[in-house]
Amino acid sequence: MMMDMEVLHSSQQDMDLIDILWKQDIDLGARREVFDYNHRQKEHELQRQRELEEEKKLHLLREQEKALLAQLQLDEETGEYIPRPPPSAPMQSAVTPLEVTQNVGFTQEDSDAMSFDECLQLLAETFPVEETENTSVCLDTTVVSAPSSSNIMMSPEQPALSPGPLLSPPQRMSPDLEQAWMELLSLPELQQCLTMQMEDTLETTTYPLSNSPEVQNPNFPFYPMTNLTDGETNNLNVCPAEFINTFDGSVPSMAPPDSVSQMEAKAPQLNTNFGTESFGDIFYPSTILEESSSQHGLEGNESTAISDIPNKPPFTPMDLYSLSPGDAFDRGKHNLTADMPDSDSGISSNTSPNASSPAKSAYGDGSFGYSDSDMEEMDHNPGSAESDYSEMFSLNFQPDDLNTAITVSAPIGQPQQQQEKKPKQYKTDQAEESGHNNAPFTKDKQRRRSDVRLPRDEQRAKALKIPFTIDMIINLPVDDFNEMMSKHQLNEAQLALVRDIRRRGKNKVAAQNCRKRKMENIVGLEGELDSLREEKERLLSEKSQNITNLKEMKQQLNSLYLEVFSMLRDEKGNSYSPSNYSLQQSTDGSIFLVPRIKKTFTKSEDNHLSPL
DNA sequence: ATCGAATGTCATTCT
DNA sequence: GTAGAATGACATTCG
């Protein structure tokens, strides 16, 4: 992808992106100069020249690859091409060991007559429109598709494949280009976009059939890696080839080291698949495809699926099996787990017990072995490219589509877009589930957010074939619940899920009640507050009224006092001065005229009358 | 794009 | 000790 974007984009942004990738030690499969050079070329619009060169080189490539193929044979065990006496195998061409998977640029010396620049040029020429589109964060499927078609996995040989009748230019992409695309695809953002697109495709159930760019788009992300799963992955056939492909593509970048070796070994074969639907048919001779398919069910399926899925999906025994309602779902998971890079590098499905047995090995009583949380984990496999797709499946298909023949296994995965720390909420689930799942899973918040799963627990219960209704699980009294549980033999995962459902259901109701209660408390407190405020107002007004009354009474008393005082006369008929005398009443009711001077003395005696 | 309400879930404590 | 209730805290969704 990087390559394409760079090539396609003449803007400085692209170069910046390249620089960033470079700094991040991301191998684009070509030297840094290549991009610049290509960029310049494009800017100068030397298309004609390029075309001519391309044709020549394509011819050369074809010839060279043919010769190589005739001479070389892929050793699956070592993953290396070894010279073989009979030139029977059309596939082997690359002299280079499949180091490709390691993101190291292809050593195209022999096979690639075309330089990376040339490839870029071709790409640019062929996808002029797409170039503009690439600029957007979420690449259009169309844009991505082109690169995807040419996967890293492609061996040098592939370019040699009949370019003449090329329906789509992407075929010509060199391994480097493909690798670059892989790199780009591995970017979280791009992957997200891809995932979204994939989901859309799934929902519509319209599989890319035609060669039209649009149709092809969905496929682009797919890489031949799907083959890795081998026979087990056959189930994948049910799934649109796109998914499988996408998974493959992502894997290379994300796959753990150990897986790389396997990937490498199979890479050559995978190449056949990597071509998207249209590409596969066009580029790879039927013979080649057949070979690959025969050897690797996935490959064969992919190739066929790409072109034929819509009309006649290649159903393998596995597929049929998957068709069964419950099983399909489980199987999907199995496949997913099996494919998980962690489990077995995602290539050799046999290594992982669950994965290896497409049948319901883990299944046992019909449950997969993972609880509700497991399901989620599936979605969030950290470090596994599959995570996204698995999520897609779980989301789109698990709940409602259990009955559908969709085998989830197919979405082997893209590199996980972003490993996000799991929400703490899932601790318990994870712990429970960890025992069940082979591969470690991490849950990612985004996944959950994006999920619009309505009754999640219901879906989970469905997935694990729990024979109880959610309502029963949650609302039955303990005794009845235990009785019900005892009547059915549930595996560990189912029990865990039932417990979780009951716990969550109870807690949900409790939370609702709690909130209701809280609201009621709030309302009650608010009412109480209002009444208290009213009381306060009333008391305040009463207080003010009392103060007013008191003031009035004091005034009246003062007036009365002065009146009485003014009526007093001494022996000579003179009035007493209020400043010198005061009227005081004794305990027995008698009134005394007390001189102010004696005030100190009389104080203790009576307070009834005091001079103003 | 942001915000807040509603809701679900988890962890913890209480019963 | 277990199950459930209660509740705070956080996450997610939706308008």
Side-chain angles (χ1 to χ4, degrees):
Chain A
M1 290 189 58
M2 292 299 296
M3 303 296 287
D4 288 350
M5 291 182 68
E6 295 165 358
V7 174
L8 298 178
H9 300 293
S10 59
S11 64
Q12 180 59 33
Q13 281 185 337
D14 297 339
M15 295 310 298
D16 293 343
L17 183 58
I18 295 171
D19 290 335
I20 293 171
L21 290 175
W22 235 276
K23 290 176 182 177
Q24 293 176 346
D25 195 22
I26 297 175
D27 185 357
L28 297 179
R31 295 172 302 173
R32 176 72 171 82
E33 298 81 279
V34 172
F35 297 97
D36 294 338
Y37 174 67
N38 179 27
H39 189 66
R40 290 195 304 270
Q41 278 187 336
K42 197 182 177 185
E43 290 178 352
H44 296 162
E45 297 178 356
L46 301 177
Q47 294 181 350
R48 282 215 169 186
Q49 207 172 356
R50 288 180 245 160
E51 289 178 356
L52 294 174
E53 292 177 359
E54 290 173 5
E55 290 225 357
K56 291 180 181 178
K57 293 185 178 181
L58 287 174
H59 275 287
L60 290 173
L61 277 174
R62 275 185 246 159
E63 292 177 0
Q64 288 180 351
E65 289 185 358
K66 282 182 180 179
L68 287 172
L69 290 173
Q71 294 177 348
L72 298 177
Q73 182 176 6
L74 174 64
D75 183 338
E76 294 184 1
E77 293 180 356
T78 60
E80 294 180 352
Y81 287 96
I82 56 176
R84 76 165 158 187
S88 60
M91 298 182 60
Q92 342 326 7
S93 62
V95 177
T96 60
L98 303 183
E99 303 293 333
V100 178
T101 54
Q102 296 176 347
N103 295 339
V104 180
F106 263 89
T107 56
Q108 302 171 343
E109 307 121 11
D110 19 62
S111 61
D112 285 351
M114 286 178 61
S115 68
F116 187 75
D117 296 319
E118 294 171 353
C119 292
L120 291 176
Q121 292 176 3
L122 282 174
L123 192 64
E125 293 176 0
T126 53
F127 304 101
V129 178
E130 295 175 356
E131 294 178 359
T132 57
E133 294 175 354
N134 288 341
T135 52
S136 62
V137 177
C138 293
L139 299 179
D140 259 1
T141 52
T142 58
V143 176
V144 180
S145 64
S148 65
S149 62
S150 63
N151 291 331
I152 298 170
M153 301 312 296
M154 290 180 66
S155 62
E157 330 147 9
Q158 293 180 348
L161 300 173
S162 62
L166 300 177
L167 298 181
S168 60
Q171 300 170 352
R172 306 174 190 173
M173 296 175 71
S174 67
D176 289 343
L177 250 183
E178 293 177 3
Q179 195 163 3
W181 275 107
M182 294 290 292
E183 298 294 348
L184 289 175
L185 287 174
S186 66
L187 295 176
E189 294 178 356
L190 293 176
Q191 292 176 358
Q192 283 184 350
C193 295
L194 294 176
T195 303
M196 293 177 63
Q197 293 177 350
M198 296 299 293
E199 290 179 354
D200 292 345
T201 15
L202 288 176
E203 292 177 357
T204 55
T205 63
T206 59
Y207 301 101
L209 305 175
S210 65
N211 295 337
S212 65
E214 295 176 357
V215 176
Q216 295 173 350
N217 298 342
N219 301 334
F220 79 101
F222 313 137
Y223 298 86
M225 295 307 293
T226 49
N227 298 335
L228 300 175
T229 53
D230 290 337
E232 298 174 358
T233 52
N234 290 344
N235 307 338
L236 301 178
N237 297 342
V238 179
C239 299
E242 309 94 66
F243 290 95
I244 299 171
N245 293 337
T246 44
F247 170 74
D248 296 346
S250 60
V251 173
S253 58
M254 302 300 292
D258 50 356
S259 64
V260 172
S261 61
Q262 295 177 349
M263 292 174 64
E264 292 176 356
K266 296 196 173 183
Q269 297 172 348
L270 298 177
N271 296 341
T272 57
N273 300 334
F274 93 33
T276 57
E277 324 127 0
S278 62
F279 293 109
D281 295 345
I282 298 169
F283 287 88
Y284 304 93
S286 59
T287 57
I288 296 173
L289 293 176
E290 291 176 359
E291 271 193 8
S292 62
S293 64
S294 62
Q295 292 177 352
H296 309 280
L298 292 178
E299 294 175 356
N301 295 339
E302 287 183 3
S303 61
T304 56
I306 296 169
S307 59
D308 299 341
I309 288 176
N311 296 338
K312 45 178 180 180
F315 284 86
T316 62
M318 295 301 297
D319 296 341
L320 295 176
Y321 187 84
S322 64
L323 292 177
S324 66
D327 296 349
F329 175 74
D330 294 349
R331 298 270 246 68
K333 294 198 168 186
H334 273 295
N335 294 337
L336 291 174
T337 55
D339 295 344
M340 302 299 246
D342 295 344
S343 62
D344 186 7
S345 73
I347 297 174
S348 66
S349 56
N350 296 336
T351 53
S352 68
N354 293 343
S356 62
S357 64
K360 349 168 170 185
S361 60
Y363 224 78
D365 40 344
S367 73
F368 227 75
Y370 41 78
S371 64
D372 56 340
S373 55
D374 288 350
M375 297 178 65
E376 290 186 0
E377 288 181 354
M378 301 288 296
D379 298 349
H380 315 289
N381 183 352
S384 75
E386 311 164 354
S387 61
D388 293 342
Y389 291 105
S390 60
E391 289 180 358
M392 289 176 50
F393 283 96
S394 63
L395 296 177
N396 297 337
F397 300 97
Q398 291 178 358
D400 301 335
D401 300 341
L402 294 177
N403 297 334
T404 62
I406 299 169
T407 56
V408 179
S409 59
I412 302 172
Q414 283 179 318
Q416 199 173 12
Q417 303 170 354
Q418 306 167 352
Q419 284 189 351
E420 300 178 356
K421 62 177 180 182
K422 307 172 185 179
K424 57 182 177 183
Q425 305 104 298
Y426 299 95
K427 289 181 191 172
T428 53
D429 290 352
Q430 292 177 352
E432 295 176 357
E433 300 164 358
S434 60
H436 308 299
N437 288 339
N438 297 339
F441 293 86
T442 59
K443 308 181 177 182
D444 99 20
K445 295 178 180 179
Q446 288 185 349
R447 202 332 123 246
R448 305 190 61 186
R449 295 178 197 163
S450 60
D451 296 1
V452 188
R453 33 190 165 188
L454 306 173
R456 288 195 308 171
D457 282 338
E458 192 166 347
Q459 293 181 356
R460 294 166 179 164
K462 222 178 184 179
L464 289 188
K465 297 168 124 184
I466 290 173
F468 317 129
T469 65
I470 300 298
D471 184 67
M472 291 170 63
I473 293 172
I474 296 173
N475 297 324
L476 277 181
V478 183
D479 294 342
D480 295 344
F481 175 75
N482 290 334
E483 187 178 351
M484 178 182 75
M485 295 289 282
S486 64
K487 288 180 180 176
H488 295 76
Q489 284 215 342
L490 303 178
N491 64 20
E492 194 175 339
Q494 287 174 318
L495 289 173
L497 177 58
V498 169
R499 282 196 300 270
D500 285 344
I501 290 172
R502 185 171 175 86
R503 174 175 51 78
R504 277 194 290 265
K506 294 276 186 189
N507 186 249
K508 187 188 297 182
V509 174
Q512 290 170 349
N513 292 335
C514 181
R515 285 169 176 140
K516 184 180 177 182
R517 219 174 299 119
K518 185 186 287 182
M519 291 304 297
E520 290 174 352
N521 285 339
I522 291 173
V523 171
L525 290 173
E526 285 177 348
E528 189 176 348
L529 182 63
D530 289 341
S531 64
L532 289 173
R533 281 179 180 152
E534 291 177 3
E535 177 78 358
K536 181 184 177 183
E537 291 297 322
R538 185 181 60 79
L539 293 174
L540 285 176
S541 64
E542 186 176 329
K543 177 186 176 183
S544 64
Q545 183 66 36
N546 291 336
I547 290 173
T548 302
N549 293 338
L550 179 62
K551 196 178 292 181
E552 186 178 351
M553 291 177 69
K554 282 183 177 179
Q555 286 179 346
Q556 291 176 354
L557 178 61
N558 189 36
S559 300
L560 186 60
Y561 178 86
L562 291 176
E563 182 179 354
V564 172
F565 201 87
S566 64
M567 295 173 68
L568 296 176
R569 293 289 183 277
D570 61 8
E571 301 163 352
K572 299 177 181 177
N574 297 327
S575 61
Y576 294 97
S577 168
S579 59
N580 295 331
Y581 297 91
S582 65
L583 289 174
Q584 296 185 10
Q585 185 177 22
S586 66
T587 54
D588 59 357
S590 56
I591 303 288
F592 298 91
L593 182 63
V594 181
R596 294 273 180 190
I597 301 169
K598 295 181 180 179
K599 186 179 177 180
T600 55
F601 298 93
T602 58
K603 243 183 188 178
S604 58
E605 296 182 11
D606 52 343
N607 301 324
H608 301 288
L609 296 176
S610 60
L612 294 177

